[in-house]
Amino acid sequence: MPRMAAIFVSGTALARAASLLAAAALVTACVTLTHEPRALLERDDGTIEVQTLACGPRIANELRASRMSAEGPPRGANSASSVGSAAARAASVGGTHTTQKGLDPDALRIVSWNIHKQGDAGWQRDLRSLGAASDVVLLQETVLDAQLRQLIADSGLRWVMASSFLHADIDIGVLTAARVAPLAACTQRVVEPLLRLPKSSVITWFALRDRADTLAVVNVHAINFSLSLGAYRAQFDAIGDALAAHTGPLILAGDLNTWTVARAQVVREVATRLGLTEVPFAADRRSVFFGHQLDHIYVRGLALVASSATEVTSSDHNPVAATLRDAR
């Protein structure tokens, strides 16, 4: 019986993989890929700004300018000084972030959910519930339409998105929403080796209440279909490179598509490199493909208070959530 059961599960997984490949091939024929990766930012007035936000030295400069702006100009400095100008440029990501106190490091609620392009009934109800109960919401396979934007706004969240591609002139990708605007953000985009359909990551840095350091949050939708580990490993190596200089608390989460042992090992390697620990789920209801969980939360500098994986019918992935506190 165990052998027959294993064959049945494998056959089901293969059928699902075949249907996913067929559907993805159809979508690929209708998508628009921009030459430069698109980052979409919600401004203070609710409008959307499109930028290119590559990861690199720019981030350290923006965080430094933001910190100096929060502390006030040096004694004797002119209000039109270069420091003030740098702070204004840093504010371009989140708007008037200097007026915000930051996320509470002693009670931080985060949820990650592949929302399946909002294609299943009930996603509005579940997203509304998740948004109300969270300080940081990480969405993958997000279609940035008016209904989704309104639901996020109703939850009192600010967002930034890494667009993977446009379909019918609407951006689809990964979106991070939070109770406060980020101090800085950058995006990464990689292309699926087989289907040539991009996957994206967005990294955001947030102020923490009563702390000088910042929280970095990585929202990842990992490469799915590939014949080797090369592209998959390169995606996570790039994430590790972007965070190599970050010394504060760190969260890495998303749909990591860890449906083989080898893929899971790649993720563990970058987790080790960045000093991350995986969040466990006592009642593990995470979505499974080829016998492996796909959705994960990794943390550094934060202690786990509680975690959950909730079964839903509004997506082909179940959302995963964690409540965290300062580990110092």
Side-chain angles (χ1 to χ4, degrees):
M1 277 300 292
R3 184 178 180 85
M4 291 178 66
I7 293 172
F8 174 78
V9 171
S10 177
T12 302
L14 286 171
R16 181 185 176 196
S19 64
L20 286 172
L21 282 166
L26 288 174
V27 171
T28 303
C30 306
V31 304
T32 300
L33 302 183
T34 57
H35 179 67
E36 295 291 339
R38 284 164 57 93
L40 295 98
L41 314 169
E42 183 191 22
R43 309 298 299 166
D44 287 343
D45 60 3
T47 59
I48 299 173
E49 181 177 350
V50 179
Q51 294 187 15
T52 298
L53 295 176
C55 299
R58 172 187 62 83
I59 298 299
N61 295 334
E62 290 188 359
L63 293 175
R64 188 180 306 111
S66 176
R67 184 165 56 250
M68 294 176 71
S69 176
E71 293 171 352
R75 184 175 299 176
N78 187 287
S79 60
S81 67
S82 59
V83 171
S85 298
R89 288 194 298 274
S92 65
V93 171
T96 55
H97 63 263
T98 55
T99 64
Q100 299 168 338
K101 295 181 179 179
L103 296 170
D104 185 355
D106 291 318
L108 182 61
R109 304 165 300 169
I110 184 168
V111 64
S112 175
W113 189 28
N114 183 321
I115 200 169
H116 200 211
K117 301 182 180 69
Q118 294 112 271
D120 301 289
W123 69 266
Q124 301 95 329
R125 175 199 63 237
D126 290 336
L127 180 58
R128 189 178 294 111
S129 175
L130 294 171
S134 305
D135 302 301
V136 180
V137 177
L138 311 181
L139 300 176
Q140 302 90 42
E141 291 195 24
T142 312
V143 179
L144 193 65
D145 58 20
Q147 187 176 24
L148 180 117
R149 296 199 309 269
Q150 187 60 54
L151 281 170
I152 293 174
D154 291 344
S155 297
L157 303 171
R158 296 285 300 276
W159 58 266
V160 58
M161 180 182 189
S163 174
S164 297
F165 54 86
L166 290 93
H167 183 257
D169 293 327
I170 298 177
D171 288 277
I172 299 176
V174 296
L175 182 147
T176 294
R179 296 287 162 201
V180 300
L183 300 175
C186 71
T187 68
Q188 297 178 337
R189 186 179 70 179
V190 294
V191 178
E192 293 265 13
L194 292 180
L195 298 177
R196 312 306 298 169
L197 199 63
K199 293 288 193 293
S200 293
S201 304
V202 57
I203 307 175
T204 44
W205 284 261
F206 294 98
L208 292 171
R209 197 174 301 169
D210 301 321
R211 288 182 58 161
D213 55 359
T214 58
L215 167 69
V217 179
V218 192
N219 181 1
V220 186
H221 191 192
I223 283 176
N224 202 355
F225 300 109
S226 59
L227 296 177
S228 68
L229 280 179
Y232 188 85
R233 184 182 298 278
Q235 182 180 15
F236 282 93
D237 284 347
I239 291 170
D241 292 343
L243 292 160
H246 177 70
T247 58
L250 173 60
I251 299 172
L252 186 154
D255 176 3
L256 306 189
N257 275 317
T258 47
W259 44 267
T260 68
V261 172
R263 284 169 166 251
Q265 180 59 32
V266 168
V267 175
R268 282 193 292 269
E269 288 171 6
V270 76
T272 299
R273 174 183 173 186
L274 295 173
L276 295 161
T277 301
E278 184 169 10
V279 168
F281 297 91
D284 199 342
R285 299 183 180 89
R286 288 179 293 170
S287 300
V288 174
F289 190 42
F290 283 126
H292 299 274
Q293 287 81 9
L294 304 177
D295 304 283
H296 304 265
I297 302 175
Y298 285 84
V299 300
R300 182 184 79 194
L302 297 163
L304 180 64
V305 176
S307 64
S308 64
T310 305
E311 288 187 80
V312 297
T313 58
S314 54
S315 172
D316 60 348
H317 286 250
N318 293 329
V320 293
T323 301
L324 308 164
R325 62 172 176 81
D326 192 343
R328 294 187 303 179

